[in-house]
Amino acid sequence: MFGLFNKQKGEDAVPEWYSELKESQERWFNFLEKLEAKMEEFATAAIPELKEILQTDDDLYKRTFHKVYSGVNGQLSNIREKARTTYDEKIINVYYNYNSQISVLSKHHNLVSDFRNHCSDRYHAFEDQYEYWRNQIEKTQERDLEIEYQKIVDEYEAIKDKFSCTQCGGNIQIEKIFLIETYIACPYCKTQNTFAPSTQGRNLQNIARGLAEQRTAHLYEVFETENNKERELYHQRHELSLSKIHESNKKVLSEIQSKMDDLEEQRQFVIKNAPKLYQVYLRAMYDEWNTITPDLKEHNEKMYQNQIQS
């Protein structure tokens, strides 16, 4: 994946200091491989633990989870910091040392540049691995709201027929999941009874939008994929336009221009289509939200109208 130095023709063409650079590069590669293995081992062990803590933490604010989550991120950052510090001390310093001693006119100066480039490429690959595991750990914050919603529904099913009038003792059926304290009239004596939902029941309005977004995430992904195409098509067209600069063959120029026109047509379609896909997602998400908390439908629809008009 990352090549070592290409030797000059004949061993006698390789300067004495080449072996030191090569050893430094090999040590750097081995060091990063060990850090990546450590990072992967640590993250793969931490991720299921974080998920379990999130689901079992009864605290509304998930303070236990966030404490552990912060610690995991700290450990991951420490691994990254080791790589950064070592890169500065063992690679950049070595590069500057040799670069200051070897003339740019020397036929061997490219060995110094190669050393820096190969080590830098390997460092960027490590950074990619770090970002991957950081993102995987970040995803553990995404609560499975279907589980939380089901707990609320189960609680409602368990209590809906167990509420009694404080005046006559008659049974009062709780007809829906209430989000706030509510007055309910007794069907027998008409007394107004106060029903106070549990903390879990009240929390439904806090998770409703997130749950609706999770249920319609597939539609958002369709929009996002389409939306990202615009930038990709733009860059492809731009690269083709650059290739025309030094091209003199008219037939080739015509072919390049034809490809550019096709890419631009695709790009314009994406520019018009992406907002439509977002509208499909947005409408579906608000419909889900209204289904989860029908009492908030009027408020939600005002938000929806403001969002599509902005």
Side-chain angles (χ1 to χ4, degrees), residues 243-303:
S243 70
K244 290 173 62 179
I245 296 174
H246 302 293
E247 182 58 62
S248 58
N249 187 304
K250 291 184 178 180
K251 183 180 179 180
V252 175
L253 284 170
S254 178
E255 291 175 351
I256 293 174
Q257 186 60 51
S258 178
K259 291 178 181 178
M260 287 175 62
D261 292 342
D262 181 56
L263 288 170
E264 181 60 22
E265 185 178 345
Q266 293 179 52
R267 180 172 166 268
Q268 290 302 321
F269 173 79
V270 167
I271 289 173
K272 294 177 181 178
N273 194 45
K276 294 177 183 178
L277 294 175
Y278 184 72
Q279 288 299 320
V280 170
Y281 155 72
L282 203 62
R283 183 63 266 173
M285 189 276 287
Y286 272 92
D287 287 343
E288 281 289 346
W289 193 356
N290 293 335
T291 300
I292 297 163
T293 52
D295 288 354
L296 300 178
K297 183 175 180 178
E298 183 178 350
H299 174 263
N300 290 348
E301 285 303 309
K302 288 180 180 178
M303 289 177 58

Side-chain angles (χ1 to χ4, degrees), residues 160-173:
K160 68 178 183 179
D161 296 319
K162 296 181 180 179
F163 189 61
S164 302
C165 177
T166 56
Q167 183 66 28
C168 70
N171 178 259
I172 302 175
Q173 187 176 46

